């Protein structure tokens, strides 16, 4: 699992990595059931977000790094967001560095505690182990951030897939609002 030193160049405002080892794209159809409302048919299968990854061995000796580019948009009153996950190895923590746009980082423990932090250019958010995390684009332009986390963390999407997190980010007349998630029962 030895890796030679290397450099990657990031386009700060686009989140594009050169070179990129792996890119994944999530469309509305990949988010089925995660929003309270179903998307309008007119929205088609819109792109919601793109993740560019620097691939290194999935071991605690390494640090996984990626950029996420979240499109602006809404489904019903909810802003476009990532699926969100716990790390499979619950204790593994992560750091988010905001690069562009305006977002929120919604975090929650399995016990139901929650926290909401801002993602803006220059924000550094610490996601401690045991906290599920989801990013939300509350602005009208791209939200771009860089993430780094312990190599063997893995992703557990299933735990929050059905009920989501304790709170939602909705577009209210007076601005973005943190609302209780009516589907969350814990
Ligand atoms: C990670 C990071 C981050 C995240 C993306 C997409 O652990 O890899 O938290 O890179 O994966 O922002 O979000 P989802 O993984 O929840 O789809
Ligand atoms: Ni993560």
């Amino acid at each position: 699992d030895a890796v030679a030193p290397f450099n990657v160049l990031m386009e700060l405002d686009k989140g594009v990595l050169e070179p990129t080892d792996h890119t994944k794209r999530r469309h509305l159809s990949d988010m089925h059931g995660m929003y309270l409302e179903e998307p309008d048919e007119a929205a088609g299968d819109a792109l919601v977000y793109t993740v560019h990854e620097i691939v290194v061995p999935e071991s605690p000796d390494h640090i996984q790094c990626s950029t996420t580019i979240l499109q602006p948009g809404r489904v019903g009153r909810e802003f476009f967001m990532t699926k969100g996950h716990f790390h499979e190895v619950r204790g593994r923590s992560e750091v988010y560095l905001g690069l562009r746009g305006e977002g929120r980082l919604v975090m929650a423990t399995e016990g139901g505690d929650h926290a909401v932090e801002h993602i803006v250019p220059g924000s550094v958010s610490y996601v401690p182990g045991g906290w599920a995390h989801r990013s939300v684009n509350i602005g009208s332009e791209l939200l771009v951030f860089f993430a780094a986390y312990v190599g063997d963390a893995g992703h557990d999407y299933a735990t929050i897939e059905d009920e989501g997190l304790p709170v939602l980010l909705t577009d209210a007349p007076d601005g973005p609002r943190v609302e209780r998630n009516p589907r969350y029962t814990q």
Side-chain angles (χ1 to χ4, degrees), residues 60-106:
D61 290 340
H62 289 278
I63 297 172
Q64 307 285 349
C65 295
S66 63
T67 53
T68 300
I69 300 101
L70 247 170
Q71 301 294 319
R74 282 170 312 186
V75 175
R77 293 180 304 117
E78 288 177 273
F79 291 105
F80 273 15
M81 61 190 185
T82 57
K83 288 184 171 199
H85 58 271
F86 282 99
H87 290 150
E88 213 166 278
V89 181
R90 285 292 191 270
R92 298 303 188 235
S93 49
E94 175 156 4
V95 171
Y96 275 29
L97 167 62
L99 298 172
R100 172 176 175 178
E102 203 189 352
R104 297 288 185 269
L105 175 57
V106 180

Side-chain angles (χ1 to χ4, degrees), residues 31-54:
M31 309 286 294
H32 185 71
M34 293 187 174
Y35 294 97
L36 283 184
E37 292 176 32
E38 284 305 310
D40 276 351
E41 293 225 345
D45 196 14
L47 175 69
V48 181
Y49 60 102
T50 307
V51 181
H52 299 295
E53 295 170 326
I54 301 170

Side-chain angles (χ1 to χ4, degrees), residues 108-113 163-167 180-186:
T109 64
E110 281 177 286
D113 288 337
E163 294 194 353
L165 296 174
V167 292
R180 199 186 67 82
N181 172 6
R183 273 202 316 221
Y184 187 85
T185 56
Q186 201 168 11

Side-chain angles (χ1 to χ4, degrees), residues 6-21 50-54 64-69 95-100 121-123 143-148:
F6 64 90
N7 242 23
V8 169
L9 203 62
M10 183 175 10
E11 257 183 276
L12 292 174
D13 62 331
K14 293 199 181 76
V16 174
L17 300 172
E18 180 55 46
T20 288
D21 290 331
T50 307
V51 181
H52 299 295
E53 295 170 326
I54 301 170
Q64 307 285 349
C65 295
S66 63
T67 53
T68 300
I69 300 101
V95 171
Y96 275 29
L97 167 62
L99 298 172
R100 172 176 175 178
S123 61
L143 176 71
V144 182
F145 62 88
F146 175 82

